[in-house]
Amino acid sequence: MGGADTTDRSGGHRAYIGSFTSGGGRGVTTAAVDPSTGALTPLTATAALPDPSYLALARDTGVLYAVSETGQGAVGAFRPTAEGLAPLGAAVRVGGAGPTHLSLAGGRLLTANYTSGSVSSLPLAADGSPAGPASVLAHSGAGPDAERQEAPHAHQVLPDPTGRWVLSVDLGTDSVRVCAPDPATGALRVHAEAGLRAGTGPRHLAFHPSGEVLYVLHELEPQLTVCRWTAASGQLEPVVEVPVAPGGLPGGVRAYPSAIVASPDGRFLWAAVRGTDTLVTFSLTAGPEEPQLTDTVECGGRWPRDLAADPSGRRLYAANERSGDVTWFEVDPLTGHPRRAGSVAVPAATCVVLD
């Protein structure tokens, strides 16, 4: 990974765990990953950046990026070393408030700014550190939920598998925007916008490994929208909605889906659901456009804000924010069923990234 030291002293790999420092978190925790069991052992932590709630790892350079989900909105970069995470310069403002997600595309760093309802694009210096000023694309619109959709709320931004397009999902406007980056400046412009059912509050999305199907997970209603993706024209076509949680939940419990992951082999889809505190498994054996809910298990904690799969797809990791832990699961290769295998305390955990 570009000369970075990505293995711990025991010869295994590393996991990086984000958290809310404002909620008692330690910032970004580096943990050793046991290669045989997947167990996590925290090694070091850095609170150099406030509220690093979401992380992204550059596979080519080994640089780790983190948002600072604050009113001023910033990003920071770190170089993993044997001693921990070494900051690459000072944090850089993103020109938006409350960034909740970031990704890398075309040599630039992208952030989805929830509070201000915008998406930012920042250049990267030669050492991988972000630089300013950010180019900002403001979303517009609103939804029928007066409390949660009074304005745009961009929740995720990431490139499509071809790298030609950038997609941003907006909980406030019930839509996914397809953007074309300017090849010279990296600035984003809207190419198309796919409207989803009003009031559902789309939050996160994931591509099927084929690159031809996109799954959109909704937060305000426990639904999954399956979309057909045509990279040649940059068009997104909603096909069908699939429930993520059963109706009639007991005691007035509400389900708030948070994160979605497709298995590397394209056979399964997993979603984390807050409120019910569960992980849901969908089988894709009938085809990528026909997910079938086959299994629901407890997430091992409370309020699973993020869900990650290891590169092999054999294990899942849930970051449980309110119980302050990360739980890992062994995945049955035939059914996709996650079996709880262990957990580790990480206060206010919000995100897990594995190298």
Side-chain angles (χ1 to χ4, degrees), residues 148-307:
R148 297 293 309 278
Q149 297 183 309
E150 81 295 346
H153 292 300
H155 217 305
Q156 187 190 31
V157 58
L158 79 168
D160 84 315
T162 70
R164 180 181 174 186
W165 308 101
V166 168
L167 287 80
S168 61
V169 59
D170 195 302
L171 183 148
T173 64
D174 293 313
S175 63
V176 177
R177 289 168 175 82
V178 179
C179 298
D182 185 290
T185 67
L188 301 177
R189 63 173 179 80
V190 177
H191 165 77
E193 184 173 359
L196 303 172
R197 186 161 58 83
T200 55
R203 174 185 172 96
H204 267 212
L205 49 83
F207 281 95
H208 185 268
S210 68
E212 298 176 350
V213 176
L214 181 73
Y215 306 103
V216 184
L217 188 67
H218 300 263
E219 177 176 340
L220 301 186
E221 284 191 20
Q223 300 287 334
L224 174 72
T225 298
V226 180
C227 301
R228 195 169 294 131
W229 170 245
T230 305
S233 58
Q235 297 298 316
L236 190 66
E237 176 191 356
V239 176
V240 66
E241 275 190 15
V242 181
V244 173
L249 293 171
V253 173
R254 286 193 62 182
Y256 298 93
S258 59
I260 187 167
V261 176
S263 65
D265 62 9
R267 298 173 57 228
F268 306 108
L269 193 65
W270 299 287
V273 185
R274 298 163 300 176
T276 60
D277 295 336
T278 54
L279 304 184
V280 177
T281 302
F282 293 91
S283 170
L284 300 176
T285 55
E289 293 187 10
E290 300 181 48
Q292 299 172 336
L293 200 161
T294 59
D295 197 21
T296 301
V297 301
E298 294 182 355
C299 71
R302 289 188 297 114
W303 212 250
R305 184 180 173 93
D306 188 39
L307 184 65

Side-chain angles (χ1 to χ4, degrees), residues 283-354:
S283 170
L284 300 176
T285 55
E289 293 187 10
E290 300 181 48
Q292 299 172 336
L293 200 161
T294 59
D295 197 21
T296 301
V297 301
E298 294 182 355
C299 71
R302 289 188 297 114
W303 212 250
R305 184 180 173 93
D306 188 39
L307 184 65
D310 74 351
S312 71
R314 293 168 44 213
R315 298 186 183 97
L316 293 173
Y317 294 82
N320 301 312
E321 180 185 349
R322 293 186 179 175
S323 55
D325 51 59
V326 174
T327 307
W328 56 92
F329 299 79
E330 294 283 349
V331 173
D332 186 302
L334 297 179
T335 65
H337 168 77
R339 180 184 62 82
R340 187 180 184 277
S343 66
V344 65
V346 183
T350 56
C351 175
V352 180
V353 171
L354 297 114

Side-chain angles (χ1 to χ4, degrees), residues 7-173:
T7 57
D8 64 64
R9 297 177 184 85
S10 65
H13 287 275
R14 290 177 173 174
Y16 304 101
I17 305 164
S19 68
F20 279 120
T21 55
S22 60
R26 303 182 184 120
V28 182
T29 296
T30 300
V33 183
D34 187 290
S36 60
T37 68
L40 302 182
T41 302
L43 300 173
T44 62
T46 175
L49 191 69
D51 288 344
S53 65
Y54 203 87
L55 313 173
L57 183 66
R59 303 290 171 179
D60 55 345
T61 65
V63 175
L64 182 73
Y65 298 93
V67 300
S68 179
E69 191 177 336
T70 61
Q72 294 184 332
V75 290
F78 302 88
R79 172 78 60 184
T81 71
E83 289 72 39
L85 294 174
L88 286 179
V92 176
R93 298 278 183 88
V94 300
T100 60
H101 185 270
L102 80 170
S103 61
L104 293 147
R108 295 180 70 89
L109 189 64
L110 309 175
T111 69
N113 311 315
Y114 179 85
T115 305
S116 57
S118 62
V119 174
S120 299
S121 172
L122 296 94
L124 297 176
D127 65 353
S129 60
S135 170
V136 181
L137 172 67
H139 289 183
S140 61
D145 187 321
E147 182 178 350
R148 297 293 309 278
Q149 297 183 309
E150 81 295 346
H153 292 300
H155 217 305
Q156 187 190 31
V157 58
L158 79 168
D160 84 315
T162 70
R164 180 181 174 186
W165 308 101
V166 168
L167 287 80
S168 61
V169 59
D170 195 302
L171 183 148
T173 64

